[in-house]
Amino acid sequence: MIRFENDYTEGAHPRILQRLIETNEEQTPGYGMDEHCEKAREYIRKECEAEDADIHFLVGGTQTNTTIIASILRPYQGAVSAESGHIATHETGAIESTGHKVLTVPSEDGKITAGQVQELVDAHWNEASPEHSVQPGLVYISNPTENGTTYTKAELEALSKVCGEYQLPLVLDGARLGYGLASIDNDITLADYARLCDVFYIGGTKVGALFGEAVVITNDSLKKDFRYFIKQRGGLLAKGRLLGIQFETLFEDGLYYEVSKHAVEMASLLRHAFVENGFALRYDSTTNQQFPILPEYVMKELRKKYSFSFWEKIDATHSAVRFCTSWSTKKEHVDMFVNDLHRLCITS
Amino acid sequence: MIRFENDYTEGAHPRILQRLIETNEEQTPGYGMDEHCEKAREYIRKECEAEDADIHFLVGGTQTNTTIIASILRPYQGAVSAESGHIATHETGAIESTGHKVLTVPSEDGKITAGQVQELVDAHWNEASPEHSVQPGLVYISNPTENGTTYTKAELEALSKVCGEYQLPLVLDGARLGYGLASIDNDITLADYARLCDVFYIGGTKVGALFGEAVVITNDSLKKDFRYFIKQRGGLLAKGRLLGIQFETLFEDGLYYEVSKHAVEMASLLRHAFVENGFALRYDSTTNQQFPILPEYVMKELRKKYSFSFWEKIDATHSAVRFCTSWSTKKEHVDMFVNDLHRLCITS
Amino acid sequence: MIRFENDYTEGAHPRILQRLIETNEEQTPGYGMDEHCEKAREYIRKECEAEDADIHFLVGGTQTNTTIIASILRPYQGAVSAESGHIATHETGAIESTGHKVLTVPSEDGKITAGQVQELVDAHWNEASPEHSVQPGLVYISNPTENGTTYTKAELEALSKVCGEYQLPLVLDGARLGYGLASIDNDITLADYARLCDVFYIGGTKVGALFGEAVVITNDSLKKDFRYFIKQRGGLLAKGRLLGIQFETLFEDGLYYEVSKHAVEMASLLRHAFVENGFALRYDSTTNQQFPILPEYVMKELRKKYSFSFWEKIDATHSAVRFCTSWSTKKEHVDMFVNDLHRLCITS
Amino acid sequence: MIRFENDYTEGAHPRILQRLIETNEEQTPGYGMDEHCEKAREYIRKECEAEDADIHFLVGGTQTNTTIIASILRPYQGAVSAESGHIATHETGAIESTGHKVLTVPSEDGKITAGQVQELVDAHWNEASPEHSVQPGLVYISNPTENGTTYTKAELEALSKVCGEYQLPLVLDGARLGYGLASIDNDITLADYARLCDVFYIGGTKVGALFGEAVVITNDSLKKDFRYFIKQRGGLLAKGRLLGIQFETLFEDGLYYEVSKHAVEMASLLRHAFVENGFALRYDSTTNQQFPILPEYVMKELRKKYSFSFWEKIDATHSAVRFCTSWSTKKEHVDMFVNDLHRLCITS
């Protein structure tokens, strides 16, 4: 079975494992106060051109989203999100478990617009008794989105602007940030993210690391006591060095970009194969996730050899499915798949 | 600097790293549904003589305590704990963040008794209006305790009995369980823990793994939907295999016991050194944590070369401090320390 | 200014005030343990033909919804509700503040169907990893709905049936229950509510009382420790007798039905007036709330003398607005309004 | 049965009932936006010499404490309280249900000192890793305390000073504030409370009203969006006028002071009776609660005719019990009790 079902099917980039071995006997303080974490923070600050940013390392995405959002909102506030946002759909109500509503706005492709945010916020403040409903307290977006699509710099700037006007922190979920940076359409740098968002994170779990997300807080008013939040939410890894070592390795000489680029190239091969064989794509993704619409018999045939995930029913005989590549996707597997798909389409 | 300040100063046992490298390119399903997790579960079930136990793997201790406790209690119930219990002191109110009070009972050495539990529970139900106060909903203990002390099997059986009578699940925090199993005083087996507790966990973070705690649920009524809790609380590791691989390695042929034994032997050397040089011990610990009471000048001198942690002020010139050993403590470091301590005591 | 803006603009039915005066010097135990509460419980149990029902009295609607829902759900579960449900829109995220997501289904008129519930629940359980999303844990409906519409007995039975099949408690918000009972379309009795719902409440605040909601729990498994929930959520009124006295008065000889009938008759007069003068109604309500669609100039003119509330923009020159009647609405005010509306429509 | 068991055994002062009747047919906006509330606010602001104070009316004490505290604390912060504080003991973990720990300090008589606060706060900030424990976020005191004792102005000033130095809001639970103001030992005015506390409330439930607590917020930074908190926590009474009318009546011409004075005088008669008959008092209270230590046979005899509440076991044959008076306590009942007690003591 060759797995395209998600982007965390393997371990970590070999250089990361190598580094874990090299550092294994070092004795360090716990909880992220070690030199590896400090060095990783420096690399990331530099890449973000954000000398004063606070950088924290957490283990996984749900934990990171929850910790960030719980650290920002007042109890009666909610997080504005696309209805397809990860926090709105696939985190078992983690945000609600901290007491906050997710205020969803409709989205066709996973993105939301500055106009939608403005409209929702205005609607709240125009109510006769705003205090009877949840007050918008921040805006959450993912880039790339859960649908593989990406924001342009202009779109991100527009969101940042409207958020600034309404004093709503803009929080960006970068679980797949590397794959956005590597997209051929990308015009946003890490420095842009740092400038335009109040808090964002750089995903490691899906981009070369065993696990880990690097949170970048640039808004001074959101920095205070963040470590209390991490600890309270169970996110303060005892051997925090493990996170430091991984991000140090990913950012000391561009490995993060390199592995991201590979994944996106592999996804591009898949995309071309689907298109060339006449399949529509559910979303226009130039990142590591591809969402072809396939007929049942094609899916059935492919499933004998490949794993991928069901996305949604399109009609009686077609479904959209998701293929993921990652830093670890093997070119020979992609080639094999492309050939198999082609052969299947010719013969059927 | 040689570090005795805690039991997570290094990485992992080399065999674990080796296994991570060997399995790195395997493709597996996410979130703990892979074969390594399954195999680790089998090993642990066997060791616990608990065929029907549910086994889940989480990353760290605070997360594990919070997830277990939140999964058991009704909103108006609290967790009974020693006032020195980890959940009562060093988790930044993680239990309270899930809505529950920690109902503390006094403890001199970190342990609580069946009698104390019974008294607290009776006091609640004897109130004129019990519904005006928090109802005891479970009993939480640590073994070894935060003070290095351990329960005897008889004590654990008494606690289990009173918990059973009052239908209070008994939850055991085994962050350092290996070091309890390796204590010369120990008469409790993993099978005993499985039999006497409703839920307990086997700590990996402090006992040979990079990270990881293995939760063992033997009470059928507490098994339902536990994965929802893990996910909601941010504890469902995407690459769950990392936990599976580590516990597989620790339990396939006794490595867990072996590394625990080493740590306890190292601690025993420290203990003897303190005693022989005339220092009192704050707690009577036969596990990997030692709490000598040292005069300021000795601490000051030792701190030049060794790190250890402040525990509590005893009087104007003395403090209790904590020394930890672990699976990774080097014999030569302990020997060096013993010599240095001896020399220091002779010359001063 | 004559107020039709809501159904809580006046105090209470004079007989209730009279009874408060008569009983004022009685000395009673606190917190709902007095004889008035007990008598009120008996009356309600009899009316519901539910001898074994537990009856609790709370002060207001948001508190009651939150307490009921928090008492039923497990932490990872959510409450299914119409997107227009009160808990989804106008309670400042009170449900989320207890950790639970409101799982909304679309609704044109405030009602949801058994089919929608079944679809939502099936969708959850058909997910590849259900534990990554919020599990439906109960179904919440209002009758009458926030739009003045009502369920038929057949519809309620269908909902009750599907809830039973999926073991989802059916919770009914009866803040305006009296006005539903008094609707000319009504075919549901209090005994039906008791039989078909697991928990429901009989609203007093909007139906003759100063304040108060009577919660009826018929599902045995939901009765346990409910008073703890009330106390924890701040809903256990010290002078609980005040609630007992009011519901005693409302139910000892049919006052609840009588005042409800009056309100609905008054609303019917308004409805006819709107229809006769050619205005469309946003919802087809035979209860105490009416939602005419009015042109701006009509609204503007009416506002000089009457208060009513904005509901939603229909087009550039029309809005739906809400008129409420209640037990206290004066016939002469309604007549005056009908005349004024008529005159205004003729002259413009 | 003559009840001294608590201070909420009757309804309300007749003038309040009278006013409810007079205003019953007035039509007012809901949720505390009516003129009665506005007038009550003015009276209270004037009494407090605090023109800029925000005044909110809530129904009961637990709700009020929870709403205030939840509005102030950040998620990782806790409320410092005497171990005997109402929030620590008799609110079913309401504070914890909002995610916050109650950080208790020992107290013999219900009071805490500035020194204790300073010590606790210093201990937190002197920890090696403060973020591993709950951060003190506010100080909660009751005056009179749950034990009937009262703070002097000097003590309150000292608390206020230390709170100011550490930027900890000082929150005062005034459920029985009137009885404190009426104490012969009292040297604190409402204006002092407003000056020395950041938030406090003036209890109505136990002091002449049917129900109701008036929250006074003087610290500007704590005023923002407080109505959202009230609504979310179910405390925004639909017919808010009921609260306004009651506090208007209590404060328009000194009724609040008058009824408080009566209660304290009645309590003083009880106190003298206990002392004269040779009974010790558990606490030295000059307010409306008295805590005599009685032998079993005296309690048994008194219970035939009077209700009072058990407080705590003193020894095998003695218990402390609580007698409450209130605005509604009848002089003839007190006289009868005094006589009965005297006769009982003489004959036995």
Side-chain angles (χ1 to χ4, degrees):
Chain A
M1 179 68 68
I2 295 165
R3 296 185 178 274
F4 293 110
E5 74 204 53
N6 62 46
D7 30 22
Y8 38 88
T9 47
E10 287 91 359
H13 192 277
R15 273 172 53 194
I16 282 179
L17 289 184
Q18 185 53 37
R19 196 65 67 88
L20 287 177
I21 287 171
E22 290 165 12
T23 58
N24 193 47
E25 299 203 9
E26 287 179 16
Q27 289 194 311
T28 60
Y31 299 114
M33 307 307 270
D34 61 281
E35 290 182 12
H36 296 287
C37 284
E38 211 34 69
K39 198 159 276 182
R41 287 186 189 107
E42 278 169 35
Y43 290 138
I44 291 173
R45 282 196 197 99
K46 199 176 156 195
E47 210 66 29
C48 292
E49 299 172 19
E51 271 177 42
D52 297 332
D54 274 10
I55 317 278
H56 301 276
F57 302 108
L58 283 91
V59 170
T62 296
Q63 190 181 78
T64 305
N65 283 329
T66 310
T67 304
I68 292 172
I69 290 173
S71 80
I72 296 176
L73 296 179
R74 300 281 292 141
Y76 55 89
Q77 295 181 322
V80 179
S81 164
E83 62 189 356
S84 53
H86 205 254
I87 58 167
T89 57
H90 281 101
E91 301 188 353
T92 319
I95 301 304
E96 286 83 2
S97 85
T98 67
H100 302 290
K101 193 183 188 75
V102 179
L103 300 163
T104 55
V105 294
S107 171
E108 260 314 290
D109 61 356
K111 293 161 64 176
I112 59 175
T113 66
Q116 285 180 300
V117 170
Q118 182 155 0
E119 199 177 330
L120 181 144
V121 177
D122 285 345
H124 177 76
W125 291 109
N126 289 336
E127 285 176 35
S129 305
E131 71 266 30
H132 288 237
S133 66
V134 175
Q135 186 183 98
L138 65 79
V139 173
Y140 163 94
I141 59 173
S142 315
N143 202 31
T145 69
E146 294 74 10
N147 300 331
T149 55
T150 50
Y151 288 87
T152 63
K153 179 148 60 170
E155 289 168 339
L156 192 62
E157 278 175 336
L159 275 165
S160 183
K161 187 155 172 285
V162 76
C163 284
E165 282 162 10
Y166 289 96
Q167 300 195 25
L168 295 172
L170 178 59
V171 172
L172 190 140
D173 174 337
R176 296 187 174 96
L177 199 69
Y179 303 138
L181 294 169
S183 157
I184 49 164
D185 293 337
N186 179 57
D187 61 353
I188 315 178
T189 63
L190 280 180
D192 292 327
Y193 284 115
R195 181 174 52 87
L196 296 170
C197 301
D198 296 272
V199 186
F200 75 103
Y201 64 94
I202 303 170
T205 302
K206 292 167 177 165
V207 193
L210 288 170
F211 56 85
E213 318 291 313
V215 176
V216 181
I217 309 180
T218 52
N219 180 330
D220 284 344
S221 70
L222 305 179
K223 292 173 179 173
K224 191 161 178 288
D225 292 337
F226 196 77
R227 282 174 61 85
Y228 283 86
F229 284 101
I230 305 177
K231 179 61 187 168
Q232 185 184 60
R233 306 220 65 80
L236 204 56
L237 193 63
K239 297 177 186 170
R241 65 199 255 158
L242 301 174
L243 292 158
I245 290 163
Q246 294 187 82
F247 278 98
E248 195 184 355
T249 309
L250 287 170
F251 279 94
E252 68 196 344
D253 60 1
L255 182 59
Y256 190 73
Y257 299 103
E258 187 186 310
V259 302
S260 298
K261 188 155 168 282
H262 170 75
V264 168
E265 285 170 359
M266 294 302 102
S268 176
L269 295 177
L270 291 179
R271 181 185 164 118
H272 285 297
F274 291 124
V275 171
E276 278 175 9
N277 286 290
F279 299 113
L281 298 170
R282 178 68 181 82
Y283 308 108
D284 183 21
S285 162
T286 55
T287 61
N288 78 312
Q289 300 184 91
Q290 296 297 325
F291 299 85
I293 295 171
L294 302 180
E296 295 295 329
Y297 76 91
V298 171
M299 285 195 283
K300 195 178 159 190
E301 204 56 36
L302 291 174
R303 283 231 163 86
K304 293 177 182 167
K305 200 162 157 190
Y306 304 97
S307 76
F308 46 92
S309 54
F310 171 79
W311 196 254
E312 66 179 15
K313 199 90 186 160
I314 299 294
D315 62 32
T317 56
H318 291 75
S319 292
V321 295
R322 185 183 72 159
F323 283 75
C324 292
T325 61
S326 79
W327 56 277
S328 62
T329 302
K330 289 190 164 51
K331 177 77 160 58
E332 60 262 35
H333 287 170
V334 173
D335 289 343
M336 193 190 306
F337 178 84
V338 169
N339 287 334
D340 286 346
L341 180 68
H342 190 59
R343 193 161 45 233
L344 177 62
C345 292
I346 285 171
T347 58
S348 58
Chain B
M1 179 70 65
I2 295 166
R3 295 184 179 274
F4 293 110
E5 73 202 54
N6 62 46
D7 30 22
Y8 38 89
T9 46
E10 286 92 2
H13 192 276
R15 272 172 55 194
I16 282 179
L17 289 185
Q18 184 52 37
R19 195 64 68 86
L20 287 177
I21 288 171
E22 289 165 11
T23 58
N24 192 46
E25 297 204 9
E26 287 180 17
Q27 289 194 311
T28 60
Y31 299 113
M33 307 306 270
D34 62 281
E35 290 182 12
H36 295 288
C37 283
E38 210 35 69
K39 197 158 277 181
R41 287 185 189 107
E42 278 170 36
Y43 289 137
I44 290 173
R45 280 194 198 100
K46 200 175 156 199
E47 210 67 29
C48 292
E49 299 173 20
E51 273 179 40
D52 298 331
D54 274 9
I55 317 278
H56 301 275
F57 302 108
L58 283 91
V59 170
T62 296
Q63 190 181 77
T64 304
N65 283 331
T66 310
T67 304
I68 291 171
I69 290 173
S71 81
I72 294 175
L73 296 180
R74 301 283 291 141
Y76 54 90
Q77 294 180 324
V80 179
S81 165
E83 60 189 356
S84 54
H86 205 254
I87 59 167
T89 56
H90 282 100
E91 301 189 352
T92 321
I95 301 305
E96 287 83 2
S97 85
T98 69
H100 302 289
K101 194 182 188 76
V102 179
L103 300 163
T104 54
V105 293
S107 171
E108 260 312 291
D109 62 356
K111 294 162 63 176
I112 60 175
T113 67
Q116 286 180 299
V117 170
Q118 181 154 0
E119 198 178 331
L120 181 144
V121 177
D122 285 345
H124 176 77
W125 292 108
N126 288 337
E127 286 176 34
S129 306
E131 71 266 29
H132 288 237
S133 67
V134 174
Q135 188 183 97
L138 65 80
V139 174
Y140 163 94
I141 57 172
S142 316
N143 202 30
T145 69
E146 295 74 9
N147 301 331
T149 56
T150 51
Y151 288 88
T152 64
K153 179 147 63 167
E155 289 168 338
L156 193 60
E157 277 175 338
L159 275 166
S160 183
K161 186 153 173 286
V162 76
C163 284
E165 281 162 11
Y166 289 96
Q167 301 196 24
L168 294 172
L170 178 59
V171 172
L172 189 139
D173 174 336
R176 297 188 173 94
L177 199 68
Y179 303 137
L181 293 168
S183 157
I184 49 164
D185 293 336
N186 180 57
D187 61 353
I188 314 178
T189 64
L190 280 179
D192 292 326
Y193 283 116
R195 180 172 54 86
L196 296 171
C197 301
D198 296 272
V199 186
F200 74 103
Y201 64 95
I202 303 171
T205 301
K206 292 168 177 162
V207 193
L210 288 170
F211 55 86
E213 317 293 313
V215 176
V216 181
I217 310 180
T218 52
N219 181 331
D220 284 344
S221 71
L222 304 179
K223 292 174 179 174
K224 189 158 181 289
D225 292 337
F226 194 78
R227 282 174 61 83
Y228 284 86
F229 283 101
I230 305 178
K231 178 62 187 168
Q232 185 184 59
R233 305 220 65 80
L236 205 55
L237 192 64
K239 297 176 187 171
R241 66 200 254 157
L242 301 176
L243 292 158
I245 290 162
Q246 294 187 84
F247 278 97
E248 197 184 355
T249 308
L250 287 169
F251 279 95
E252 71 195 342
D253 60 1
L255 181 60
Y256 190 74
Y257 300 103
E258 187 185 310
V259 301
S260 299
K261 189 155 167 283
H262 169 74
V264 169
E265 286 170 359
M266 294 301 103
S268 176
L269 296 178
L270 292 179
R271 180 184 164 116
H272 285 298
F274 291 123
V275 172
E276 280 175 10
N277 286 290
F279 300 113
L281 299 170
R282 177 67 182 84
Y283 309 108
D284 182 20
S285 161
T286 56
T287 61
N288 77 312
Q289 300 183 92
Q290 296 297 325
F291 300 84
I293 295 172
L294 302 181
E296 295 297 328
Y297 77 91
V298 171
M299 287 196 283
K300 196 179 159 190
E301 204 58 33
L302 291 174
R303 283 232 163 86
K304 294 178 181 167
K305 197 162 159 190
Y306 304 97
S307 75
F308 46 91
S309 52
F310 171 78
W311 196 254
E312 65 179 16
K313 199 89 186 160
I314 299 295
D315 62 31
T317 56
H318 292 76
S319 294
V321 296
R322 186 183 72 160
F323 283 76
C324 293
T325 61
S326 79
W327 55 277
S328 62
T329 302
K330 289 189 165 52
K331 177 79 161 54
E332 59 262 36
H333 288 168
V334 173
D335 289 343
M336 192 189 306
F337 177 84
V338 169
N339 287 334
D340 286 345
L341 180 68
H342 190 61
R343 194 162 41 235
L344 177 62
C345 294
I346 284 170
T347 58
S348 57
Chain C
M1 178 69 68
I2 295 165
R3 296 185 179 275
F4 293 110
E5 74 204 53
N6 62 46
D7 30 22
Y8 37 89
T9 47
E10 287 91 1
H13 191 278
R15 273 173 53 196
I16 283 179
L17 289 185
Q18 185 54 36
R19 196 65 67 88
L20 287 178
I21 287 171
E22 291 165 11
T23 58
N24 193 46
E25 298 204 9
E26 288 179 16
Q27 289 194 311
T28 60
Y31 299 114
M33 307 307 271
D34 62 281
E35 289 182 12
H36 296 287
C37 284
E38 209 35 70
K39 198 158 277 182
R41 287 186 189 107
E42 279 169 35
Y43 289 138
I44 290 173
R45 281 195 196 100
K46 199 175 157 199
E47 210 66 29
C48 291
E49 299 172 20
E51 272 178 41
D52 297 331
D54 274 9
I55 318 278
H56 301 276
F57 302 109
L58 284 90
V59 170
T62 296
Q63 189 181 78
T64 306
N65 283 329
T66 309
T67 304
I68 293 172
I69 290 173
S71 81
I72 296 175
L73 297 180
R74 301 282 291 140
Y76 55 89
Q77 294 181 324
V80 179
S81 164
E83 61 189 357
S84 54
H86 205 254
I87 58 166
T89 57
H90 281 100
E91 300 188 353
T92 321
I95 302 304
E96 287 82 2
S97 84
T98 68
H100 302 289
K101 193 183 188 76
V102 179
L103 300 163
T104 55
V105 294
S107 171
E108 260 313 290
D109 62 356
K111 293 162 64 178
I112 60 174
T113 67
Q116 285 181 300
V117 170
Q118 182 154 2
E119 198 177 330
L120 181 143
V121 177
D122 285 346
H124 176 77
W125 292 108
N126 287 337
E127 284 175 35
S129 305
E131 72 266 30
H132 288 237
S133 65
V134 175
Q135 188 184 97
L138 64 80
V139 173
Y140 163 95
I141 59 173
S142 316
N143 202 32
T145 69
E146 293 75 10
N147 300 331
T149 56
T150 51
Y151 288 87
T152 63
K153 179 147 62 169
E155 288 168 339
L156 192 61
E157 277 175 336
L159 274 165
S160 183
K161 186 155 173 286
V162 75
C163 284
E165 282 163 10
Y166 288 96
Q167 300 194 25
L168 294 172
L170 179 59
V171 172
L172 190 139
D173 175 337
R176 296 187 173 95
L177 200 68
Y179 303 137
L181 293 168
S183 158
I184 50 165
D185 293 338
N186 180 57
D187 61 353
I188 315 179
T189 64
L190 280 180
D192 292 327
Y193 283 115
R195 181 174 51 86
L196 297 171
C197 301
D198 296 272
V199 185
F200 74 102
Y201 64 94
I202 303 171
T205 301
K206 292 167 178 165
V207 193
L210 287 171
F211 56 85
E213 318 291 312
V215 176
V216 181
I217 310 180
T218 52
N219 180 330
D220 284 344
S221 71
L222 304 179
K223 292 174 180 173
K224 190 161 179 289
D225 292 337
F226 195 77
R227 282 174 61 85
Y228 283 86
F229 284 102
I230 304 177
K231 178 62 187 167
Q232 186 183 59
R233 307 220 65 78
L236 205 55
L237 193 64
K239 297 177 186 170
R241 65 199 257 158
L242 302 176
L243 293 158
I245 290 163
Q246 294 187 82
F247 278 98
E248 196 183 355
T249 308
L250 288 170
F251 278 95
E252 69 195 345
D253 61 1
L255 181 60
Y256 190 74
Y257 300 104
E258 186 185 310
V259 301
S260 298
K261 188 155 167 284
H262 169 75
V264 168
E265 284 170 0
M266 293 303 102
S268 175
L269 295 177
L270 292 180
R271 180 185 164 117
H272 285 298
F274 292 123
V275 171
E276 279 175 8
N277 286 290
F279 300 113
L281 299 170
R282 179 66 183 84
Y283 309 108
D284 183 20
S285 162
T286 55
T287 61
N288 77 313
Q289 300 183 94
Q290 297 297 325
F291 300 84
I293 295 172
L294 303 180
E296 296 296 328
Y297 76 91
V298 171
M299 285 196 283
K300 196 178 157 189
E301 204 57 34
L302 291 174
R303 284 231 162 86
K304 293 176 181 167
K305 197 162 158 191
Y306 304 97
S307 75
F308 46 92
S309 54
F310 171 78
W311 196 254
E312 65 180 15
K313 199 92 187 159
I314 299 295
D315 62 31
T317 56
H318 291 76
S319 293
V321 295
R322 186 183 73 158
F323 283 76
C324 291
T325 62
S326 80
W327 57 276
S328 62
T329 302
K330 289 190 164 49
K331 177 79 159 56
E332 60 262 34
H333 287 170
V334 173
D335 289 343
M336 192 190 307
F337 177 85
V338 169
N339 287 334
D340 286 345
L341 181 69
H342 190 60
R343 193 162 44 232
L344 176 64
C345 293
I346 284 170
T347 58
S348 58
Chain D
M1 179 68 67
I2 296 166
R3 295 185 180 275
F4 293 109
E5 74 204 53
N6 62 46
D7 30 22
Y8 37 90
T9 46
E10 287 91 1
H13 192 277
R15 272 172 55 194
I16 282 179
L17 289 184
Q18 185 53 35
R19 195 66 66 86
L20 287 177
I21 287 172
E22 290 165 10
T23 58
N24 193 46
E25 298 204 10
E26 287 180 16
Q27 289 193 312
T28 59
Y31 299 114
M33 308 306 270
D34 61 281
E35 289 181 13
H36 295 289
C37 284
E38 210 35 69
K39 198 159 276 183
R41 287 185 189 106
E42 278 168 36
Y43 290 137
I44 291 173
R45 280 194 198 100
K46 199 174 156 200
E47 211 65 31
C48 292
E49 300 173 18
E51 272 179 41
D52 296 332
D54 274 10
I55 317 279
H56 301 275
F57 302 108
L58 283 91
V59 171
T62 297
Q63 191 181 76
T64 304
N65 283 330
T66 311
T67 303
I68 292 172
I69 291 173
S71 81
I72 296 176
L73 296 179
R74 300 282 292 141
Y76 55 89
Q77 294 179 324
V80 179
S81 164
E83 63 190 355
S84 54
H86 206 254
I87 59 167
T89 56
H90 281 101
E91 300 188 352
T92 319
I95 301 304
E96 286 83 1
S97 85
T98 68
H100 301 289
K101 193 182 188 78
V102 179
L103 300 164
T104 54
V105 293
S107 171
E108 260 314 291
D109 62 357
K111 293 162 64 177
I112 59 175
T113 66
Q116 285 180 300
V117 170
Q118 181 155 1
E119 197 177 331
L120 182 144
V121 177
D122 285 345
H124 176 76
W125 291 108
N126 288 336
E127 285 177 34
S129 305
E131 71 266 30
H132 288 238
S133 66
V134 174
Q135 187 183 98
L138 65 78
V139 173
Y140 162 94
I141 58 172
S142 317
N143 202 31
T145 69
E146 295 73 10
N147 300 333
T149 55
T150 51
Y151 288 88
T152 63
K153 181 148 62 169
E155 288 167 339
L156 193 61
E157 277 175 336
L159 275 166
S160 183
K161 185 153 174 285
V162 75
C163 284
E165 280 162 11
Y166 289 96
Q167 301 196 23
L168 295 172
L170 178 59
V171 171
L172 189 140
D173 174 336
R176 297 188 174 95
L177 199 68
Y179 303 138
L181 293 169
S183 158
I184 48 162
D185 293 337
N186 180 58
D187 61 353
I188 313 179
T189 64
L190 281 179
D192 292 326
Y193 283 116
R195 179 173 55 86
L196 297 171
C197 301
D198 296 272
V199 186
F200 75 102
Y201 64 96
I202 303 171
T205 300
K206 292 168 178 163
V207 193
L210 288 170
F211 56 84
E213 317 293 313
V215 176
V216 181
I217 311 181
T218 51
N219 180 330
D220 284 343
S221 71
L222 303 179
K223 293 175 179 173
K224 189 159 180 287
D225 293 336
F226 195 78
R227 281 174 63 84
Y228 282 87
F229 283 101
I230 304 178
K231 177 63 186 167
Q232 186 183 59
R233 306 221 65 81
L236 205 55
L237 192 65
K239 297 177 187 170
R241 67 200 254 155
L242 302 175
L243 293 157
I245 291 162
Q246 294 187 83
F247 278 97
E248 196 184 355
T249 308
L250 288 169
F251 280 94
E252 68 195 344
D253 60 2
L255 181 59
Y256 190 73
Y257 299 103
E258 186 186 311
V259 301
S260 297
K261 189 156 166 281
H262 169 76
V264 169
E265 285 170 358
M266 295 302 102
S268 176
L269 296 177
L270 292 179
R271 181 185 164 116
H272 284 298
F274 291 124
V275 171
E276 280 175 8
N277 286 291
F279 300 113
L281 300 170
R282 178 66 182 86
Y283 309 108
D284 182 20
S285 162
T286 55
T287 61
N288 77 312
Q289 301 183 91
Q290 296 298 325
F291 300 84
I293 295 173
L294 302 180
E296 295 298 326
Y297 75 91
V298 172
M299 286 195 284
K300 196 179 158 189
E301 205 57 33
L302 291 174
R303 282 232 163 85
K304 292 176 182 168
K305 198 162 160 190
Y306 304 96
S307 75
F308 46 91
S309 53
F310 171 79
W311 196 255
E312 66 180 15
K313 200 88 186 161
I314 299 294
D315 62 31
T317 55
H318 292 76
S319 293
V321 296
R322 186 183 71 159
F323 283 75
C324 292
T325 61
S326 79
W327 55 277
S328 62
T329 301
K330 289 187 165 52
K331 176 78 160 55
E332 60 261 35
H333 288 169
V334 173
D335 289 343
M336 192 189 306
F337 178 84
V338 169
N339 287 333
D340 286 346
L341 181 68
H342 190 60
R343 193 162 43 233
L344 177 62
C345 292
I346 286 170
T347 59
S348 57

